[in-house]
Amino acid sequence: MKSTLMVMTVLTGSLLTLSACKDNDISSQPGLPYQSNFQQGQDGWIADISDYGVAQDTSMRFKSARTGLPAPLDTTRQSLMLESMNRSDDAFMFLKKKVTGLQPNKDYSLVFDIELASKYSTNSMGIGGSPGGSVWVKAGATGVEPMKEKQNEFYSLNIDKGTQNNDGKDAILLGNVGIGDDQPETYKLITRSNAEKPFTARSNDKGELWLLVGTDSGFEGLTTLYYSQIKVTIN
């Protein structure tokens, strides 16, 4: 009898431990809160670029990939890399992801905590603007999928994410990609958050929201960034 009770206790404890681990892994659950560090994959995030002319399509040199962080950072840590040459002086490189399991047509007050690797000094000089101080991080959410649309030979988003360092209806400014003043061009991890200014978004009638994270650039040159963690919580 004692042996049977001991086995049952061990099994019960193991099941509780597994259940707790699963509950803490919010990246695998539908809805919000949400968090990913991209160690297992892209977790449904889709990369794209907008705000440039059709004639500039090939010269933008946009690319994205799931890859390790750049040296001297921990190269075994996975991230989502986004890169482009800003020929339009207004390029918007972004990531989007659909979350489900929310209440339909409900307002959610959201806080984004974003960790990314940048190598650009905040007060650096560049064509059109600073590579660090004039590339702005934005985040938001909407009930419709953010899509790149072609209108009058120009690619723009179908939602209002604002222009460069200005807020829009569907996204707000979190800061820039600068790593600090007078810094050497070496990749460092930085965090950007809207904890002091939560963003309100309304889910659609299916209980879905599309999350949006990106950079609105005023620097007319090559920008390469690595997103290492995205966390979205309900305020």
Side-chain angles (χ1 to χ4, degrees):
M1 178 66 71
K2 289 183 179 180
S3 298
T4 303
L5 288 173
M6 184 176 294
V7 171
M8 289 178 65
T9 301
V10 171
L11 288 173
T12 303
S14 300
L15 289 172
L16 288 173
T17 301
L18 288 171
S19 176
C21 291
K22 184 176 180 180
D23 290 341
N24 289 331
D25 183 16
I26 61 176
S27 65
S28 65
Q29 299 178 0
L32 296 168
Y34 171 83
Q35 179 176 331
S36 178
N37 57 14
F38 310 112
Q39 297 309 296
Q40 304 303 316
Q42 291 201 187
D43 295 333
W45 288 92
I46 302 168
D48 208 342
I49 186 172
S50 68
D51 292 17
Y52 64 94
V54 173
Q56 299 167 321
D57 215 343
T58 57
S59 63
M60 297 297 286
R61 291 168 49 187
F62 173 70
K63 62 182 180 180
S64 65
R66 177 174 171 264
T67 183
L69 287 171
L73 300 174
D74 181 359
T75 58
T76 64
R77 282 190 62 189
Q78 293 296 301
S79 66
L80 296 186
M81 183 276 293
L82 271 67
E83 177 180 280
S84 71
M85 181 70 74
N86 183 16
R87 299 298 189 191
S88 68
D89 191 29
D90 195 30
F92 184 64
M93 293 193 297
F94 64 92
L95 296 165
K96 63 180 180 180
K97 175 186 171 62
K98 182 171 70 173
V99 293
T100 61
L102 306 175
Q103 295 185 40
N105 303 311
K106 176 180 172 63
D107 286 339
Y108 285 87
S109 181
L110 306 177
V111 172
F112 291 79
D113 290 289
I114 300 169
E115 181 187 71
L116 68 157
S118 172
K119 64 177 180 179
Y120 308 104
S121 179
T122 306
N123 62 347
S124 55
M125 301 296 292
I127 305 170
S130 166
S134 298
V135 180
W136 293 282
V137 180
K138 290 186 171 180
T142 176
V144 300
E145 180 179 0
M147 297 287 291
K148 179 170 67 176
E149 297 180 334
K150 185 173 72 171
Q151 295 182 345
N152 300 321
E153 298 302 303
F154 191 82
Y155 291 113
S156 59
L157 275 184
N158 63 332
I159 63 168
D160 180 14
K161 48 85 178 170
T163 303
Q164 297 199 350
N165 62 339
N166 296 305
D167 292 344
K169 181 175 67 71
D170 300 310
I172 59 173
L173 179 70
L174 272 61
N176 56 46
V177 301
I179 60 174
D181 291 342
D182 303 319
Q183 295 295 310
E185 194 171 275
T186 302
Y187 275 103
K188 295 182 179 181
L189 288 173
I190 59 174
T191 57
R192 297 293 181 262
S193 174
N194 67 317
E196 296 183 358
K197 185 183 177 181
F199 176 82
T200 301
R202 175 170 285 254
S203 61
N204 61 25
D205 56 7
K206 296 179 181 179
E208 302 169 339
L209 269 177
W210 281 88
L211 305 178
L212 179 74
V213 173
T215 51
D216 215 337
S217 180
F219 164 59
E220 299 177 45
L222 184 68
T223 296
T224 309
L225 300 168
Y226 298 78
Y227 290 87
S228 48
Q229 182 170 272
I230 298 175
K231 180 179 179 181
V232 186
T233 53
I234 301 174
N235 183 54

